[in-house]
Amino acid sequence: MIIAANLKTNHNRTKTAAYLDTIEEYIKEHKSKDRAVVFPSMSSLCPSRERITIGAQNAYPVANGSFTGEIGTDHLDELAIRTLLIGHSERRHILNEDIGLIKRKFDFFAELGYEIFFCVGEPLEIKETGFESVLTYINRQLDGIDLTYPKLVLAYEPVWAIGTGKTATKEDIIAVHSAIKELSDKPLLYGGSVKVENAAEILAIDGVDGVLVGTTSWQADKYNALLASAQTIKE
Ligand code: PGA
């Protein structure tokens, strides 16, 4: 199981370090075997810990250059960061990253062998038009992405479930995950209002290989509770 925390624009450097300390302590104490991945904010990036992989929420597909506000591989290399989130719904829908840029990022970082957490998911207006539209929408997001890339981790995150407290139903998750699983055998996470209370049920679903969590993960004790849920499922 992969338990991934997307800290978004939360926790400065000091708070992130304390957060990681708490999680690492928990992992060691409870001998958690699940994989912990944390995506801190850009200025809080740091090298991975012994038991926690650190990933970047974003990077531009360059080593360096004139791209104001962005970071490239020079900056990731300095911290030995080899994991990257691409296609998150907030980057697609708030920061207006289009499918072309997302694909360019994927190709660039895949060529360099980065582990890529690639997010897909439909907005509410698509969901409301039915399951076939959802699949068509997701297929378009995956179009041109190498779904056999060895270091690919997929995440299904319905936009209407992100940060809204509204989790997809078990049936929704089963339906979409099995459709994505037909396209790729890579690990597939669910994301969108995963909470301590529903994590165990979601993690137990066939075709769910972990969770990508925002809001709930921002508190270290809640993140640790997610690890505890994962541990109960698989043992
Ligand atoms: P959420 O965010 O858990 O707050 O819904 C999930 C995500 O954005 O990855």
Side-chain angles (χ1 to χ4, degrees):
M1 287 277 152
I2 299 173
I3 309 296
N6 179 3
L7 301 187
K8 307 192 180 183
T9 317
N10 300 285
H11 295 338
N12 61 18
R13 269 186 106 62
T14 313
K15 283 190 183 157
T16 300
Y19 172 90
L20 295 171
D21 286 345
T22 309
I23 294 173
E24 194 158 54
E25 210 170 286
Y26 176 92
I27 291 172
K28 287 181 176 164
E29 193 179 322
H30 292 82
K31 302 188 172 27
S32 172
K33 297 228 166 21
D34 296 285
R35 187 157 171 238
V37 182
V38 175
F39 295 92
S41 72
M42 190 117 82
S43 68
S44 302
L45 286 174
C46 57
S48 289
R49 300 287 186 98
E50 194 186 326
R51 295 295 317 277
I52 306 170
T53 300
I54 298 293
Q57 293 173 22
N58 178 46
Y60 205 64
V62 291
N64 54 54
S66 298
F67 305 97
T68 302
E70 297 287 326
I71 59 170
T73 55
D74 279 0
H75 311 86
L76 299 175
D77 285 350
E78 190 177 28
L79 301 168
I81 291 173
R82 299 289 301 164
T83 295
L84 185 64
L85 200 57
I86 297 180
H88 188 275
S89 89
E90 283 148 16
R91 296 223 51 98
R92 292 179 192 265
H93 300 286
I94 302 177
L95 284 312
N96 295 322
E97 281 192 17
D98 62 18
I99 280 185
L101 174 59
I102 290 168
K103 183 173 155 31
R104 210 147 52 79
K105 286 185 176 184
F106 180 90
D107 290 343
F108 179 85
F109 288 101
E111 177 71 30
L112 294 173
Y114 281 74
E115 178 183 36
I116 297 174
F117 281 60
F118 191 82
C119 308
V120 295
E122 80 288 356
L124 187 59
E125 63 271 23
I126 299 292
K127 179 176 170 53
E128 282 170 346
T129 59
F131 185 61
E132 281 312 312
S133 319
V134 171
L135 290 190
T136 306
Y137 189 90
I138 290 171
N139 274 317
R140 238 189 97 227
Q141 291 180 317
L142 291 173
D143 193 31
I145 300 300
D146 178 5
L147 296 175
T148 65
Y149 176 57
K151 290 189 186 156
L152 173 64
V153 177
L154 291 163
Y156 170 55
E157 298 204 300
V159 180
W160 48 269
I162 296 180
T164 58
K166 236 178 131 208
T167 319
T169 62
K170 193 173 169 185
E171 290 68 35
D172 285 332
I173 299 174
I174 291 172
V176 177
H177 275 235
S178 47
I180 297 176
K181 283 281 183 190
E182 280 181 26
L183 304 173
S184 175
D185 63 354
K186 299 304 160 199
L188 175 56
L189 316 184
Y190 169 77
S193 296
V194 174
K195 307 177 192 93
V196 172
E197 305 79 56
N198 62 22
E201 190 193 3
I202 292 169
L203 288 166
I205 297 172
D206 232 22
V208 170
D209 304 304
V211 283
L212 175 54
V213 190
T215 317
T216 294
S217 75
W218 303 339
Q219 285 170 258
D221 60 336
K222 291 197 174 171
Y223 179 88
N224 290 341
L226 298 175
L227 284 175
S229 300
Q231 211 162 5
T232 53
I233 308 281
K234 292 294 151 184
E235 275 176 6

